[in-house]
Amino acid sequence: MQNPPTTTLGYALFATRWLQAPLYFGLVAAQGVYVYKFFKELWTLIVMCVSGHATETFVMLAVLKLVDVVMIANLLIMVIVGGYETFVSRIGLQGHRDQPEWLSHVNSNVLKVKLATAIVGISSVHLLQMFVDVHHTSRHALLWGTVIHMAFIVSAAILAYMSGPMAAHGDRGHGVGRPSAEHAQHGPGPGFESRSGHPSESRSGHPSEFRPGPASEPRTVQAAEFRHGHLPEPRDGHVPEPRHTPESRPGHASEPWHGPASEVRQGHLPDPRPGHTPQPRPDTAAAAPVVAPGPGPDDEAEGRIRAAGFPARKLLEDFDQRYPREFDRETVARLGKAEFVTGRRNVVFVGPPGTGKTHLAVALGVRACQAGHRVLFATAAAWAARLTDARAAGRLDAELAALDEHPLLIVDEVGYTPFDPDTAGLLFQLVARRYERASLIVTSDRPLGRWNEVFGTCAPALTDRLAHHAEIVRLDGESYRTRRATAARAD
């Protein structure tokens, strides 16, 4: 099933965005005018100070004028760079050491809030100038200057209120994203890599797009936790610590595995057994009374990433875009802004095993977490097991309602295992419940037209709802793992 082709008229209308390019170059010229104005004011201040004619009030007003010019120049650069990136064309700054932090996830809402706060700052400087030079400012000017400044503050607050809850809808009242002291000391925890490589075999035994970490690095097995019921439901602000046992690792029952259980024995992680009071590590006992500072935005994003259950941390910047023979780079770059989550749209990655589908799905999930959304990741088999257990316990409706608290769910590896009619019906209920209400990212090794091989008679209704508001991204190419194995044999 393919997206309808864009018409020639649509392409022509979309190309008219380049008419805005001269406007941004005009703003660049305006920025040059403010540079000239800054140095002119600075030179006047220096001359007055050297000649001894500068009073304290004059110096203060001159400095405020310089600050005012700088703040307006900052506002201009935000409009030039952010506006051009959002409304005209992407600026290829990926990997540049000076890339602004906010540019990687800029969108119209973010840009509007930043502009509103910048205008409030400029207005406050103007108002301060008026009060410093109060003897030469009329009461009428002071009154209206204060009223206008308050209007700017109120409008910025309303704009931030309207934009913030939409981006952080999944976090309201849950307190998700507050890492524990152990996480603060030991990093993001097992199963995460700061810089990821190429795809490799997944934890479920099926070909997937993940490279396991070093041999000494423990990995979480979220899919097994869902199947065996060891993973508590991440609701009501609780971020569970996953329990791991050797038998929860699929396909490796007889193989010893050193995961978080060994860290519990060594005192690195609290023991999740009921009624157990964790003992502090000897080397951190002295630091126990120290009160850690409150969580910042980055800490909250890291908390959402840990709670999402990603098997490894994957970034869009790490994806090898030169490898797939067929790959819509512009669409993936646009999806990286996470606006599809706010728009309650879906994303479907289709392609052979080993082409990077799961890498991209996890990378978009990480971006969504950084944008303030709660995310859950699991394979299709794990989601089926979770819903089957909920139905057996008589709480299927409650389970689906709890999943509504997550604006984005990721369903990985659709197609590797066909489902019986009852299980396929459960997954249809999940997709139907989230239709036009929340987002899904799905990865599959076969196009939607062949999903009847997986879901049987449920396939037409399921794919119809999934693809109605969806970006379908096709990846085509040889498996990266097969390619590496061939190269290794050749060497």
Side-chain angles (χ1 to χ4, degrees):
M1 186 176 299
Q2 302 291 335
N3 284 335
T6 305
T7 62
T8 303
L9 178 60
Y11 277 119
L13 291 175
F14 184 62
T16 60
R17 71 191 191 280
W18 289 102
L19 293 174
Q20 296 189 40
L23 304 182
Y24 291 102
F25 284 106
L27 291 179
V28 172
Q31 194 172 24
V33 172
Y34 270 97
V35 171
Y36 168 77
K37 181 177 177 61
F38 177 89
F39 283 103
K40 181 180 179 182
E41 295 287 346
L42 180 61
W43 177 253
T44 302
L45 175 61
I46 293 174
V47 171
M48 292 293 290
C49 290
V50 171
S51 62
H53 294 91
T55 62
E56 182 178 356
T57 301
F58 176 84
V59 172
M60 186 178 299
L61 289 174
V63 170
L64 287 175
K65 287 181 180 179
L66 296 178
V67 173
D68 189 23
V69 170
V70 171
M71 294 182 68
I72 294 177
N74 292 339
L75 175 64
L76 281 174
I77 199 65
M78 273 196 295
V79 174
I80 293 170
V81 178
Y84 185 90
E85 169 90 9
T86 303
F87 301 109
V88 180
S89 181
R90 288 180 57 82
I91 303 176
L93 296 178
Q94 289 75 12
H96 195 283
R97 64 179 183 178
D98 295 330
Q99 179 184 1
E101 181 274 334
W102 52 269
L103 189 58
S104 62
H105 53 267
V106 67
N107 54 51
S108 56
N109 281 334
V110 172
L111 190 60
K112 286 187 290 187
V113 172
K114 287 183 178 294
L115 293 180
T117 54
I119 291 173
V120 170
I122 295 171
S123 175
S124 64
V125 173
H126 276 283
L127 189 62
L128 181 59
Q129 286 179 296
M130 296 171 67
F131 277 99
V132 169
D133 197 24
V134 66
H135 297 294
H136 299 87
T137 306
S138 65
R139 296 181 60 183
H140 182 269
L142 286 174
L143 173 63
W144 281 107
T146 304
V147 170
I148 293 172
H149 179 64
M150 294 304 298
F152 283 142
I153 292 176
V154 172
S155 62
I158 293 174
L159 184 60
Y161 175 78
M162 293 173 64
S163 301
M166 289 188 296
H169 176 268
D171 287 330
R172 63 184 188 280
H174 288 278
V176 174
R178 304 194 174 201
S180 63
E182 288 292 331
H183 283 123
Q185 292 177 4
H186 301 292
F192 287 87
E193 300 169 36
S194 60
R195 301 288 294 177
S196 56
H198 291 287
S200 185
E201 182 174 310
S202 74
R203 68 261 171 261
S204 62
H206 294 295
S208 185
E209 286 74 17
F210 289 99
R211 173 178 65 84
S216 60
E217 184 176 338
R219 302 181 63 218
T220 58
V221 189
Q222 297 290 350
E225 297 296 324
F226 277 123
R227 285 193 293 271
H228 295 282
H230 296 167
L231 183 63
E233 298 166 3
R235 61 186 71 167
D236 298 329
H238 176 67
V239 181
E241 293 288 349
R243 295 172 56 192
H244 302 271
T245 59
E247 60 272 14
S248 68
R249 190 183 185 194
H252 298 271
S254 61
E255 179 181 344
W257 179 56
H258 304 285
S262 61
E263 295 197 19
V264 170
R265 290 194 295 271
Q266 297 170 11
H268 295 172
L269 290 176
D271 194 334
R273 291 173 295 178
H276 177 75
T277 303
Q279 299 297 323
R281 292 174 56 185
D283 57 340
T284 59
V290 178
V291 178
D298 292 340
D299 297 328
E300 294 178 355
E302 286 300 317
R304 286 189 289 270
I305 292 172
R306 284 192 292 272
F310 300 126
R313 183 189 293 258
K314 301 290 181 180
L315 305 177
L316 287 178
E317 294 80 2
D318 294 333
F319 186 74
D320 189 356
Q321 298 189 8
R322 300 168 298 177
Y323 173 63
R325 291 196 301 264
E326 182 179 341
F327 172 56
D328 192 343
R329 294 166 176 80
E330 292 187 1
T331 297
V332 173
R334 174 164 43 82
L335 293 173
K337 298 179 181 181
E339 292 180 338
F340 73 95
V341 182
T342 304
R344 301 169 185 175
R345 297 178 60 84
N346 303 323
V347 180
V348 181
F349 291 107
V350 179
T355 52
K357 303 183 299 296
T358 308
H359 184 128
L360 292 174
V362 172
L364 293 183
V366 170
R367 286 286 182 89
C369 291
Q370 293 170 342
H373 305 292
R374 296 179 68 193
V375 181
L376 273 183
F377 174 98
T379 63
W383 283 117
R386 178 169 180 162
L387 296 177
T388 300
D389 292 343
R391 181 180 60 183
R395 53 179 181 83
L396 179 61
D397 290 340
E399 183 71 17
L400 293 173
L403 293 176
D404 288 343
E405 298 297 328
H406 297 77
L408 176 61
L409 300 182
I410 301 178
V411 183
D412 192 28
E413 299 179 353
V414 170
Y416 292 126
T417 304
F419 298 108
D420 60 78
D422 290 341
T423 305
L426 291 175
L427 291 172
F428 168 76
Q429 289 187 56
L430 177 65
V431 173
R433 183 181 180 91
R434 299 182 70 82
Y435 175 62
E436 295 186 333
R437 298 175 58 190
S439 298
L440 286 165
I441 295 179
V442 180
T443 71
S444 178
D445 65 339
R446 63 197 69 194
L448 272 64
R450 291 178 52 198
W451 277 23
N452 60 304
E453 302 169 6
V454 183
F455 297 100
T457 57
C458 287
L462 188 149
T463 56
D464 179 69
R465 287 165 173 79
L466 180 66
H468 182 207
H469 302 294
E471 295 280 1
I472 301 177
V473 181
R474 173 76 186 183
L475 293 95
D476 191 15
E478 182 186 1
S479 170
Y480 176 79
R481 291 179 290 277
T482 303
R483 183 184 179 191
R484 289 194 64 184
T486 303
R489 286 195 297 269
D491 294 341

